[in-house]
Amino acid sequence: MANPLNPARRKHKLVKAWMHEHVNDPYVQEAQRRGYRSRAAFKLIELADRDRLLRPGMTVVDLGAAPGSWSQVLRERVGPGGRIVAVDVLPMDPIAGVAFVQTDFRTDEGLAAVEQALAGAPVDLVVSDMAPNLSGIDPVDQARSVGLADLALAFAGEHLQPGGDFAVKVFQGSGLAEFEGSMRERFDKVYLRKPKASRDRSREVFLVGKGYSGG
């Protein structure tokens, strides 16, 4: 008789359940139909529609861009007159009309590479779908999530033009309220959003800052 506590068996069952959910996920199916690289595209679409984040001709920086579904949406919405700079430490397959910089923007060299790609263009919007590599230890993962959001906010603070917007992913839990307070010091309006495409069990939420005012 199989041991019900067998870790390998339990992991197999979890993977099988995840695959079944993934294959039958309507957002996964729609992403495949529309050619998006992941279902995450629909999170940005909902945020953009609800908070009027995108318009033709914008300059946008996409932090943590790989595999590229957010950059695909940005390319569709800002049009050929816009500029999109996608940034990630991981590789990303090319997207027509998107300048991809594979770098760590926390370093001086990485930041210089991103700024070179911007070529002096004022930034209208910074978006970040960055997430930590999950350890399974909630306090650790939470701290890492807020840390990445802080980095994205610092980048936005250095590069957004007055009136610009910011959208960032962060996990619910310790540090979220303090981070939201930091955003409220810099933006005229701040909204907490949970897109429908974000799975119910996920602790991820998105904060949207409208109208960068400095600080």
Side-chain angles (χ1 to χ4, degrees):
M1 180 177 178
N3 183 352
L5 299 179
N6 186 312
R9 183 178 179 85
R10 182 173 182 273
K11 182 177 180 180
H12 175 73
K13 286 185 176 180
L14 289 173
V15 171
K16 187 174 181 180
W18 182 89
M19 284 298 299
H20 181 269
E21 179 187 44
H22 184 76
V23 169
N24 292 283
D25 187 322
Y27 289 105
V28 172
Q29 295 171 351
E30 184 65 8
Q32 293 172 345
R33 187 186 72 81
R34 295 172 62 170
Y36 291 137
R37 295 179 180 180
S38 81
R39 68 192 300 284
F42 298 104
K43 301 174 189 178
L44 179 58
I45 288 172
E46 183 176 336
L47 294 173
D49 290 346
R50 184 168 185 177
D51 294 311
R52 300 179 182 179
L53 294 178
L54 299 174
R55 61 184 183 277
M58 296 178 73
T59 294
V60 186
V61 177
D62 181 6
L63 300 175
S69 61
W70 277 31
S71 287
Q72 289 178 298
V73 173
L74 295 171
R75 180 73 277 164
E76 291 174 355
R77 297 292 185 96
V78 306
R83 182 190 298 268
I84 301 162
V85 176
V87 184
D88 207 307
V89 295
L90 300 174
M92 187 178 89
D93 290 337
I95 298 172
V98 175
F100 175 60
V101 184
Q102 185 176 353
T103 190
D104 185 344
F105 70 90
R106 297 174 296 179
T107 67
D108 292 341
E109 296 81 3
L111 189 58
V114 174
E115 291 173 345
Q116 183 178 8
L118 286 169
V123 177
D124 301 296
L125 172 67
V126 173
V127 296
S128 172
D129 194 32
M130 292 190 296
N133 293 323
L134 298 180
S135 67
I137 303 172
D138 286 347
V140 173
D141 294 337
Q142 180 65 24
R144 290 174 177 173
S145 170
V146 173
L148 289 174
D150 277 328
L151 290 169
L153 179 58
F155 179 92
E158 291 292 330
H159 295 86
L160 277 178
Q161 64 174 325
D165 297 337
F166 175 56
V168 60
K169 176 163 72 179
V170 67
F171 292 165
Q172 293 173 303
S174 177
L176 175 58
E178 291 79 4
F179 177 75
E180 183 176 351
S182 296
M183 283 187 60
R184 292 190 182 280
E185 294 173 357
R186 294 166 172 81
F187 293 89
D188 294 338
K189 296 179 181 179
V190 175
Y191 304 103
L192 181 69
R193 305 298 193 202
K194 178 76 170 178
K196 294 177 182 177
S198 182
R199 292 188 170 100
D200 290 341
R201 69 172 181 274
S202 172
R203 292 190 293 121
E204 71 174 13
V205 292
F206 293 83
L207 283 165
V208 176
K210 295 284 293 180
Y212 179 63
S213 57

